[in-house]
Amino acid sequence: MEIYGEFARVYDQLMEAPYLEWAEYIEELWLKFELKPNLILDLACGTGVLTDILASRGYDMIGADLSADMLMVARETNPEILWLQQDMREFELYGSVDAVICICDSLNYILEPEELAQVFKQVQFYLNPGGLFVFDINTEYKYSQILADNDFSGVGDSGAYIWENFYCEEERINEYQVTLFVGDENGLYSRYEEVHVQKAHKIGEIKNALRIAGLEILGEFDELTLNPPHHQSERVFFVARKT
């Protein structure tokens, strides 16, 4: 079953991700670690909202995502950006970049440690020396205590969703089934279903994969702060550098 198919059309309405806050926070991290990037890759860019915000601030952006449907929405938002349909485990660029970002728990979709290290190796290969890699993950705490085996729902102008979540603490695998009701121009709604699977990576596993890839770990932070993560952090941001 394909993920982010019909979901792409209503994703931003229903998920209400804090794109503007993330953009400002990423710039804060670049400032903290003394990077002034020009060319930036937004890896697993989704519908490209964050990519477009950063482009509007003067950065030269590339957006890459596995989902053709998400990229279709992204191209409609800003056709001037280079959008690439690529798997983050084996993406290819025409040259190197100053920075790579990967936001909104995209790396939780990578389930195996060796595949996580492969993503990081690709990032390391395409980063310019001194370039930064900024990314986030959902934590074990969020999966086990917030999402757990709960159900969620939401309604937007052109759709609605029901999210049934299941978390296996032993395997640290989170699976959720999303039932979507997507409206058309005639006011008729169609029903779709998607199943998403994510892995709750431990911070130590992330850091080990970064070291395997040859990236220098500069820090990990509780979401939207410069504070270290704590036992109730729901999202943790990492900053790594190519030396």
Side-chain angles (χ1 to χ4, degrees):
M1 183 181 299
E2 183 182 2
I3 63 172
Y4 293 120
E6 291 298 325
F7 199 2
R9 292 171 51 192
V10 294
Y11 179 84
D12 291 315
Q13 287 184 31
L14 300 179
M15 294 296 100
E16 298 181 346
Y19 293 116
L20 184 58
E21 290 88 344
W22 283 340
E24 293 172 349
Y25 180 58
I26 289 166
E27 288 188 306
E28 183 180 6
L29 292 174
W30 288 337
L31 181 63
K32 175 178 174 63
F33 293 104
E34 301 179 340
L35 182 73
K36 295 181 179 180
N38 178 37
L39 182 58
I40 300 156
L41 169 65
D42 187 356
L43 191 60
C45 64
T47 58
V49 176
L50 179 59
T51 328
D52 185 51
I53 291 172
L54 290 172
S56 72
R57 297 184 176 201
Y59 301 103
D60 189 2
M61 300 298 301
I62 301 170
D65 200 274
L66 183 59
S67 169
D69 293 280
M70 295 289 259
L71 289 174
M72 181 174 65
V73 175
R75 289 189 181 97
E76 290 173 355
T77 301
N78 190 334
E80 300 302 318
I81 292 174
L82 175 62
W83 304 105
L84 304 173
Q85 185 183 359
Q86 295 192 347
D87 189 318
M88 71 174 84
R89 292 166 292 189
E90 51 189 15
F91 70 89
E92 296 181 352
L93 302 178
Y94 301 111
S96 57
V97 296
D98 302 318
V100 177
I101 62 174
C102 187
I103 309 301
C104 199
D105 52 84
S106 297
L107 284 165
N108 290 105
Y109 282 100
I110 303 298
L111 306 183
E112 301 299 331
E114 59 271 17
E115 292 189 341
L116 191 64
Q118 181 59 34
V119 175
F120 294 166
K121 287 177 183 178
Q122 290 297 100
V123 170
Q124 193 273 350
F125 181 79
Y126 284 106
L127 269 177
N128 287 323
L132 293 184
F133 179 31
V134 176
F135 64 94
D136 70 10
I137 59 164
N138 278 341
T139 64
E140 288 185 87
Y141 173 81
K142 181 174 183 177
Y143 287 121
S144 64
Q145 303 300 317
I146 305 300
L147 298 179
D149 290 340
N150 296 316
D151 297 338
F152 307 88
S153 61
V155 178
D157 292 338
S158 59
Y161 73 91
I162 300 171
W163 170 334
E164 299 175 89
N165 202 82
F166 309 94
Y167 180 63
C168 176
E169 199 155 353
E170 181 179 355
E171 298 182 2
R172 290 182 282 132
I173 291 294
N174 191 79
E175 180 178 303
Y176 62 92
Q177 179 172 311
V178 181
T179 302
L180 300 164
F181 302 91
V182 180
D184 61 22
E185 63 275 7
N186 298 315
L188 300 177
Y189 285 79
S190 298
R191 174 176 172 167
Y192 305 92
E193 291 186 351
E194 296 186 3
V195 176
H196 295 241
V197 180
Q198 294 185 319
K199 177 71 175 283
H201 300 293
K202 295 180 179 291
I203 289 180
E205 293 171 339
I206 294 287
K207 296 170 78 170
N208 184 58
L210 287 168
R211 293 189 188 99
I212 290 173
L215 290 164
E216 177 189 6
I217 303 163
L218 299 180
E220 60 268 6
F221 306 97
D222 187 37
E223 183 180 16
L224 300 179
T225 78
L226 297 179
N227 301 322
H230 51 80
H231 72 284
Q232 290 187 329
S233 292
E234 296 182 30
R235 187 183 300 274
V236 174
F237 275 75
F238 294 80
V239 182
R241 178 168 56 200
K242 178 174 180 175
T243 55

